[in-house]
Amino acid sequence: GRLVLNAPGPQHPLFDVLEQAMERHVSPEAAGFVRAIFALHDTEDLGQFLGKAGYRDVDISADVKQMSLPAPRRFLWEYAMSTPLAANVAGADEGSLARLEAEVVSGWRPFEENGALSYGQRIVSARARA
């Protein structure tokens, strides 16, 4: 078998805003999910992990990709509702969600271009054989 893996990281400041707002307005578990998305970004650690898992011919590289995302409010809710964050968000009250939205949308203003979000994200790519 073959493995192809793409992992973002380290966590970009755009997601720092989301993580901190999730911690304050939703739950520590929601903030933990945001952090976990960026956990596999160290190329050396990833190579060792794949080697220990039995993969061979491991090839790992990293590059910065320009990300173009929807407008801040839209991206917040699309992201929250299409990831495991949906369960955390579903358990929050309306006031908390309104405060979450206000904080995130405001915090994402520096990343906004022409009504959409744009930023450079480092992506680690790994290829290996089982």
Side-chain angles (χ1 to χ4, degrees):
R2 294 177 189 219
L3 167 83
V4 176
L5 177 138
N6 289 312
Q11 183 168 299
H12 188 276
L14 183 137
F15 283 92
D16 291 343
V17 170
L18 179 62
E19 176 193 347
Q20 293 161 12
M22 285 287 177
E23 177 83 31
R24 275 191 283 283
H25 306 294
V26 178
S27 70
E29 294 79 17
F33 171 78
V34 175
R35 279 190 306 276
I37 295 299
F38 300 93
L40 290 176
H41 68 79
D42 186 286
T43 55
E44 189 173 314
D45 288 349
L46 181 57
Q48 290 175 5
F49 174 75
L50 293 174
K52 287 178 183 175
Y55 288 94
R56 64 185 196 290
D57 301 328
V58 176
D59 178 37
I60 300 175
S61 61
D63 194 19
V64 175
K65 303 290 184 185
Q66 191 61 31
M67 307 299 288
S68 296
L69 304 170
R73 181 181 182 282
R74 180 175 164 202
F75 178 65
L76 167 63
W77 297 117
E78 284 180 358
Y79 187 79
M81 301 312 287
S82 65
T83 67
L85 287 172
N88 299 98
V89 169
D93 63 77
E94 272 186 45
S96 294
L97 296 179
R99 288 186 295 277
L100 170 74
E101 180 179 304
E103 184 175 329
V104 171
V105 169
S106 174
W108 282 352
R109 281 196 184 108
F111 308 104
E112 201 171 343
E113 290 182 15
N114 300 319
L117 292 171
S118 180
Y119 74 102
Q121 178 64 63
R122 181 175 175 268
I123 305 289
V124 175
S125 299
R127 292 175 188 78
R129 293 179 184 264

